[in-house]
Amino acid sequence: MSQIPAAGLLTPAPTRIMGVLNVTPDSFSDGGRWLDHAAAVEHGRRMMAEGADLVDVGGESTRPGSVRPSEQEELDRVIPVVENLVGHGIPVSIDTMRATVAAAAVGAGAALVNDVSGGLADDAMPSTVAGLGVPFVAMHWRGLLADPQEEPHYEDVVGEVRDELAARVEALVEEGIARELVVLDPGFGFSKDAGHNWVLLRGLAAITGLGLPVLVGTSRKRFLGRLPLHTAAPAEPRTDGEPTAPDERDAATAATSLLAAQAGAWAVRVHDIPSTRDALAVHRLTEAAR
């Protein structure tokens, strides 16, 4: 099937919206809702109608404690959905850490490979993507599904994430991926606690300053579930009570999408399209006002 030209997908433009489509039974936010292929395709089409620019299809949950599906199970989950969405003219990215799944999805029409391990979980991923010639999202990654009890440590989270991403780019280029096809993801919520996430969000310009497209994925993450409940409250996350439910974090996600756009992000990866669409429209209209 035809693909979106890589150059067109990454051409500088207003911050794009990547819609999240989890074809899994156990994702933290919407596990099981779109496991049925027909429901998944309908949801993908709905996200595009609401304003998404592309749909990110994933068949493996990366929440702490999840069990990896077999390669065949992941293929069975995602390939029919990719084929169907592409058949409807919808730009699709594939969210996977497996080279075989990436190759099959691109063969089915996916235009981009989104790997939360940055090509570290599967040694064959970099060479496979290099041969496919599609954009590759490399997320900042310090290991797969780290022990939730283990405390992540950084002396300078912004500087370390920036430097580790820059080093990863060089490694990917050495393995054959064209530099202009690499997209960076700072990895919010991966080996980072809430404090790290807030500092990294404030310092996003250091990541976009590397000169490559940046994808920001904060949508519905736990650190957005402990916001102060009143404007008079201290400007620090709540420590009392339970965090809000994932689907109650869309307004906060939209705010982070606006911050990402201000920092020059190429795209934001979100579950709820309308709230982020409106936040990005506010940003564009404000920037255009004279």
Side-chain angles (χ1 to χ4, degrees):
M1 297 200 177
S2 62
Q3 301 171 6
I4 300 174
L9 188 62
L10 300 183
T11 298
T15 301
R16 293 169 171 82
I17 299 175
M18 176 186 284
V20 180
L21 182 51
N22 294 315
V23 193
T24 63
D26 57 350
S27 292
F28 81 96
S29 172
D30 53 6
R33 291 190 67 185
W34 320 119
L35 190 58
D36 176 77
H37 291 167
V41 171
E42 179 183 355
H43 185 55
R45 296 182 69 183
R46 182 183 309 115
M47 287 193 290
M48 289 298 295
E50 290 172 337
D53 296 292
L54 70 163
V55 173
D56 193 41
V57 179
E60 175 180 357
S61 172
T62 53
R63 69 173 179 81
S66 62
V67 178
R68 296 198 76 184
S70 69
E71 177 183 299
Q72 189 58 54
E73 187 174 9
E74 187 179 354
L75 287 165
D76 290 344
R77 289 176 181 177
V78 301
I79 299 305
V81 176
V82 171
E83 289 177 336
N84 204 318
L85 290 175
V86 172
H88 284 96
I90 294 174
V92 172
S93 57
I94 180 66
D95 176 5
T96 185
M97 292 184 285
R98 289 186 168 114
T100 50
V101 176
V106 172
L112 177 150
V113 176
N114 180 16
D115 181 353
V116 299
S117 81
L120 292 168
D122 185 342
D123 291 341
M125 183 66 89
S127 61
T128 297
V129 172
L132 295 170
V134 296
F136 180 67
V137 178
M139 196 190 79
H140 177 261
W141 195 72
R142 286 186 170 181
L144 178 63
L145 304 181
D147 181 352
Q149 303 305 315
E150 183 179 344
E151 294 292 332
H153 177 75
Y154 297 86
E155 294 293 336
D156 171 11
V157 64
V158 174
E160 290 174 52
V161 168
R162 178 198 61 214
D163 293 348
E164 289 170 30
L165 282 173
R168 189 67 197 132
V169 171
E170 297 309 315
L172 292 169
V173 170
E174 286 182 9
E175 295 190 69
I177 298 179
R179 187 183 300 272
E180 61 269 20
L181 294 182
V182 178
V183 178
L184 304 178
D185 181 341
F188 286 93
F190 286 81
S191 297
K192 299 172 186 72
D193 63 24
H196 296 140
N197 289 327
W198 288 117
V199 173
L200 188 57
L201 187 60
R202 179 170 179 165
L204 265 179
I207 310 302
T208 59
L210 289 171
L212 292 173
V214 172
L215 172 66
V216 172
T218 60
S219 185
R220 296 183 175 177
K221 294 200 170 174
R222 188 178 180 86
F223 80 104
L224 298 180
R226 289 191 172 278
L227 304 180
L229 297 180
H230 195 280
T231 56
E236 57 188 35
R238 287 188 297 110
T239 57
D240 61 311
E242 291 296 315
T244 58
D247 62 0
E248 295 174 351
R249 303 170 192 169
D250 291 332
T253 297
T256 65
S257 295
L258 191 149
L259 293 174
Q262 290 176 330
W266 163 72
V268 289
R269 183 179 183 272
V270 300
H271 296 81
D272 181 70
I273 306 304
S275 56
T276 277
R277 176 199 65 210
D278 289 353
L280 295 183
V282 167
H283 175 254
R284 291 198 310 276
L285 290 169
T286 303
E287 288 294 297
R290 293 291 184 270

